[in-house]
Amino acid sequence: MKFYIESLHLWLNDGRKRSLTFLPNKVNVITGGSHTGKTAILDIIDYCFFASRHRISESIINENVLWYGLCIHVNDKVYTLARKAPTGAAISNDYFFSPIGDVPSGPPEKNIEDNALKILLSADFGIDQDVKIPFGGRVLRAGSRISLRYFLMFNTISQDIITHSEQFFDKQDQARYQEALPRIFDIAVGIDSVENILKREKRTELEQRLTRLQRRSAKTEESRGAFYTELAETTAKAKSYGLIPEADDAEESVAMLERMVVDGETGSDLFVSGRHEEISSELYQISRKLRGLRKFLGEYTHHKNVLLETADSLKPVEYLLTNHKDTVRTSVFFDIIEKLADGLREIKAETSRKTPLDSNISELIKSLESRREQLQRDFDALPSGAEAFENQKDKYIFIGETKAKLEIFAGGDQGVSRDYSAEIEDLEKQIGDLSVSSREDRQEQFTSVLDETIQDYISLVKIALGNYGDYRSAFNYKEKKLYLRKPKTAFIENVGSSSNHMFLHLFLFLGLHEIIMRNDGNHVAPFLIIDQFSRPYWGDDDNGGPADAQSPEQRPKMDIKESDVAKVNSALNLLNEFIDIATDMNKEFQIILFEHIKPRYWESLENFHLVEIFSDGNALIPPTPLE
């Protein structure tokens, strides 16, 4: 990410415009005495970047300003954004924005909504709807959008924390920022990426779905057992009352119970007692038909046998016709013989041919016998000793209860019978296909690289650290704090003095920004605002320290050690060296430094740029012409 502040603008209520100009890839110094407005510049920059509350001094500064504005360079674009001055403690939501960096000569006018401007700048910081809070807290909700203001915690070392022994980041007295720091730290420094976060969120979602399915599957197995237990009890009870016959499986049992309910509601008498009568009646009718058919068939067979016997008794007629010459004939001989011969021929014809009656009767008997066998099996399957209801009311109450159970079974049957194995297998495959980098491994790697980077800074200023010059960097990832470790031990030293704490703050922030630049980070802007790191040595002295005292007599009164001057020079050289490190990486980095020391301390440092000296009446709010 590319970023630097080109200029800061204050539109005063007397019509004048106060401007300060900064250079990229430089340590921009504003120096001067106390109460001249140096620290207010940090508060003004913070206010322009959507602060929800402000710390701008009402006296002198805010009471004289109508609008505050910044001209910034972001990723090869130039923007001007301005915000109307607060009224007392109440902030303003009136913003002016120029996408080409135009700076109005007079007070700006509102031309954009704050949310629209936030979205626009957030996109330049690589923050979109996909970048969300990974886990929630008391104030921040998980899944809520990350504000670009959270990343600005990496861009300031205010006078409140420059020498703090416990806090290394600004705004940690506010719960919102206190919770935000551990939640955005990995994204800011490159431990994690948006792509990896989205994959992790997707995997978490899939794992949650998998867990739900596995629980549902286990519950289904449990419900299936309960389902069939209840079904078996209801079926057994129905059988005991003689309402349904035996069934081969659960599905058939359900079908029989449903039929029982339907028949009970429609008044059909398909209960066992009625079924006994129905089958018995049909068996009786079939038996009667069979008896009648068999009797008829017997008589028909007997008739044919009689005909055959008659045919046998008439066989002599054929002989007489053939041998009539040898017999004594009368006048009626031939008439009688012819009549008998005709009868014999008819009997032979009748007994020799098969009629449809023969086969039809046989088939009908077979069909009736088969039906009788089926009825007998159904009859045998009916309970022989069924319990009896006390009255019809009890019977229909049981039918109603069975109906209700069947409806519950029908409603839960999909869940009971559903097989989740294919869905579970598919989710497991999707989870396996998601390649998500381990944050824990990358956190360890980051800590190691950060300590290695900071160790180079420690070597540059080891003399200024005194007894701790040979100590090792020990960044505590969980606490987001930097400590010094005694060489070849695990012992963490309490460095004690505010001077050493000041150097620890510089080490940590410069180390973080170096790693962010090496990782081509696009969430943290490459600039750093430092407010008076020399305070541990000279406080807020207006005269700029002992080297600027006008006579030797003045120096003892100020009680400033020459070693403190060397420490300040070491810190200045460290900042100068960091700009060279950024340049060697083909990166640009801007430092804005508020101080009260004289320019002679950095005149030999090529990466320093004097913005202004606030002294002799010159201040952030200049005196009026009359004054």
Side-chain angles (χ1 to χ4, degrees), residues 397-603:
I397 288 176
F398 174 76
I399 293 173
E401 291 174 349
T402 303
K403 178 183 179 182
K405 290 178 181 179
L406 289 173
E407 289 175 351
I408 294 173
F409 292 157
D413 185 53
Q414 293 182 349
V416 169
S417 61
R418 183 175 177 183
D419 184 4
Y420 294 95
S421 58
E423 293 178 71
I424 290 174
E425 183 180 353
D426 179 60
L427 284 175
E428 290 175 339
K429 182 178 183 304
Q430 291 185 54
I431 292 171
D433 291 341
L434 279 176
S435 177
V436 182
S437 300
S438 170
R439 281 186 300 181
E440 290 73 17
D441 293 342
R442 291 179 63 87
Q443 286 165 0
E444 291 180 4
Q445 295 171 2
F446 166 81
T447 300
S448 177
V449 172
L450 180 61
D451 283 335
E452 183 181 347
T453 301
I454 291 175
Q455 199 61 46
D456 290 339
Y457 303 147
I458 293 175
S459 299
L460 287 173
V461 300
K462 61 183 299 183
I463 296 177
L465 295 176
N467 296 333
Y468 306 112
D470 292 324
Y471 275 54
R472 316 302 295 175
S473 171
F475 176 69
N476 187 309
Y477 173 84
K478 183 178 180 180
E479 297 178 2
K480 307 296 184 290
K481 298 176 184 178
L482 179 63
Y483 297 97
L484 291 180
R485 176 177 56 82
K486 190 174 183 179
K488 299 181 181 180
T489 70
F491 178 71
I492 300 298
E493 184 66 67
N494 180 10
V495 296
S497 72
S498 59
S499 171
N500 290 330
H501 286 301
M502 179 274 291
F503 274 106
L504 289 180
H505 282 74
L506 293 181
F507 293 156
L508 177 58
F509 274 76
L510 296 180
L512 290 173
H513 277 285
E514 181 174 341
I515 292 178
I516 291 169
M517 285 190 291
R518 291 189 185 279
N519 292 336
D520 293 322
N522 62 345
H523 301 308
V524 177
F527 79 98
L528 182 60
I529 301 176
I530 306 171
D531 191 1
Q532 300 184 38
F533 68 78
S534 66
R535 293 182 69 221
Y537 314 107
W538 298 330
D540 292 322
D541 179 66
D542 290 344
N543 294 319
D548 298 294
Q550 299 300 313
S551 66
E553 290 77 11
Q554 290 177 304
R555 297 192 183 196
K557 294 179 181 179
M558 304 178 84
D559 194 25
I560 301 299
K561 300 176 182 179
E562 290 297 330
S563 60
D564 288 342
V565 176
K567 291 179 181 180
V568 170
N569 285 330
S570 294
L572 293 171
N573 276 282
L574 179 61
L575 298 180
N576 188 74
E577 180 68 21
F578 186 79
I579 298 298
D580 286 336
I581 292 173
T583 302
D584 291 341
M585 290 191 293
N586 293 319
K587 305 288 185 180
E588 288 188 352
F589 195 88
Q590 182 186 63
I591 296 176
I592 298 176
L593 177 62
F594 309 133
E595 267 299 343
H596 53 253
I597 58 177
K598 295 294 184 179
R600 62 173 49 180
Y601 288 98
W602 66 80
E603 283 178 345

Side-chain angles (χ1 to χ4, degrees), residues 235-255:
T235 303
K237 194 170 183 180
K239 290 176 182 177
S240 70
Y241 283 119
L243 301 178
I244 61 173
E246 293 291 336
D248 295 331
D249 51 36
E251 184 177 348
E252 187 177 353
S253 295
V254 172

Side-chain angles (χ1 to χ4, degrees), residues 33-38 60 542 619:
S34 299
H35 312 298
T36 55
K38 299 188 303 296
I60 305 300
D542 290 344

Side-chain angles (χ1 to χ4, degrees), residues 302-370:
H302 177 71
H303 168 69
K304 293 184 72 173
N305 290 334
V306 170
L307 290 177
L308 288 173
E309 291 176 359
T310 303
D312 289 339
S313 64
L314 292 175
K315 283 183 179 179
V317 174
E318 293 179 343
Y319 177 80
L320 291 173
L321 285 174
T322 306
N323 300 290
H324 61 85
K325 295 180 179 180
D326 298 328
T327 61
V328 177
R329 300 182 293 272
T330 64
S331 58
V332 293
F333 176 80
F334 285 103
D335 292 335
I336 293 172
I337 294 299
E338 286 296 335
K339 292 288 185 182
L340 291 173
D342 291 340
L344 180 61
R345 283 193 294 271
E346 289 178 1
I347 289 172
K348 284 184 176 181
E350 184 66 28
T351 56
S352 63
R353 64 187 178 89
K354 275 275 191 183
T355 66
L357 184 62
D358 294 308
S359 58
N360 287 346
I361 291 176
S362 298
E363 291 297 324
L364 184 57
I365 290 173
K366 287 180 181 180
S367 174
L368 289 173
E369 286 178 342
S370 176

Side-chain angles (χ1 to χ4, degrees), residues 7 14 22 25 60 81 83 107 154 159 164 180 193 206-207 252 294 316 345 370 410 426 431 445 470 487 495 504 508:
S7 54
D14 62 5
F22 309 97
N25 218 37
I60 305 300
L81 63 148
R83 187 177 187 182
F154 289 82
Q159 63 179 345
H164 205 293
S193 65
L206 292 175
E207 288 174 343
E252 187 177 353
R294 287 194 178 103
R345 283 193 294 271
S370 176
D426 179 60
I431 292 171
Q445 295 171 2
D470 292 324
V495 296
L504 289 180
L508 177 58

